[in-house]
Amino acid sequence: MGSPNFMADGKTPTKRPRRKPAHPTPKPKVPTAPRNRPKVADGDVELVAKPGRKGKGDGPGGEYWDVVVAGKRAGEVFVNIIDEPPIGKHASLQIFLNKPDQARGIGRIAYRKAADASAHSPIYLHMRKANVASRLAAEAAGFVDASPPGFTQLILKRSRGGG
């Protein structure tokens, strides 16, 4: 007699219907930076230009900066030239801050300084609509909503001189 996982011909595996879980699988909790942390001053945030790395400001027209606060690397900002709908070919800026350096106002300053230092105008940001902290930081740096109606992702734009 064959294994219970095989049919009578001994070759074709049977498929048991998948059992529906009794409880939904919980989503993992994403750690957030503590609120009400001391904010950094504008002069404490410095962007240090460096050669881009793979996928991070390394292609034609790409730009890359380390975000440095009080002599310590706090993250990175880079610009890539991408060709994606709904805008087409454009400069797209991204920022990544280390967890301990989030919620200190660094992103707001780094967005503005990177947009001012960039050779590109206009410059765009793409982010999830649920990313409220990044949106507020970008808007404080002069980026404005440029999302077309019905588009699922948030697109923010800043031209030279703001707006």
Side-chain angles (χ1 to χ4, degrees):
M1 183 166 179
S3 165
N5 291 335
F6 289 91
M7 295 183 71
D9 64 6
K11 295 180 183 176
T12 311
T14 60
K15 298 239 180 191
R16 292 184 180 161
R18 187 173 173 147
R19 198 171 58 103
K20 186 173 182 177
H23 303 285
T25 304
K27 291 184 179 179
K29 294 202 181 236
V30 177
T32 58
R35 303 249 184 251
N36 301 323
R37 300 182 63 203
K39 302 296 182 197
V40 299
D42 190 87
D44 292 341
V45 178
E46 181 185 3
L47 297 185
V48 178
K50 292 194 171 181
R53 299 191 321 251
K54 183 173 172 96
K56 295 183 175 186
D58 68 335
E63 300 170 309
Y64 180 92
W65 301 270
D66 274 343
V67 179
V68 178
V69 178
K72 179 180 163 253
R73 186 179 182 278
E76 61 188 1
V77 184
F78 56 91
V79 176
N80 288 326
I81 304 299
I82 62 174
D83 190 359
E84 293 181 3
I87 301 166
K89 191 172 183 179
H90 62 284
S92 174
L93 185 138
Q94 293 186 3
I95 185 171
F96 293 98
L97 294 177
N98 303 334
K99 276 282 186 215
D101 295 305
Q102 294 177 0
R104 296 178 57 203
I106 298 169
R108 162 183 55 86
I109 299 165
Y111 272 132
R112 181 181 49 76
K113 287 188 173 188
D116 288 344
S118 175
H120 305 286
S121 183
I123 196 161
Y124 292 87
L125 304 175
H126 300 261
M127 64 182 72
R128 292 186 318 267
K129 289 184 177 180
N131 191 347
V132 177
S134 289
R135 179 183 189 153
L136 292 174
E139 287 175 344
F143 286 85
V144 294
D145 191 346
S147 307
F151 199 69
T152 57
Q153 201 174 37
L154 179 64
I155 299 174
L156 299 171
K157 174 183 175 183
R158 184 173 188 260
S159 297
R160 187 79 60 223

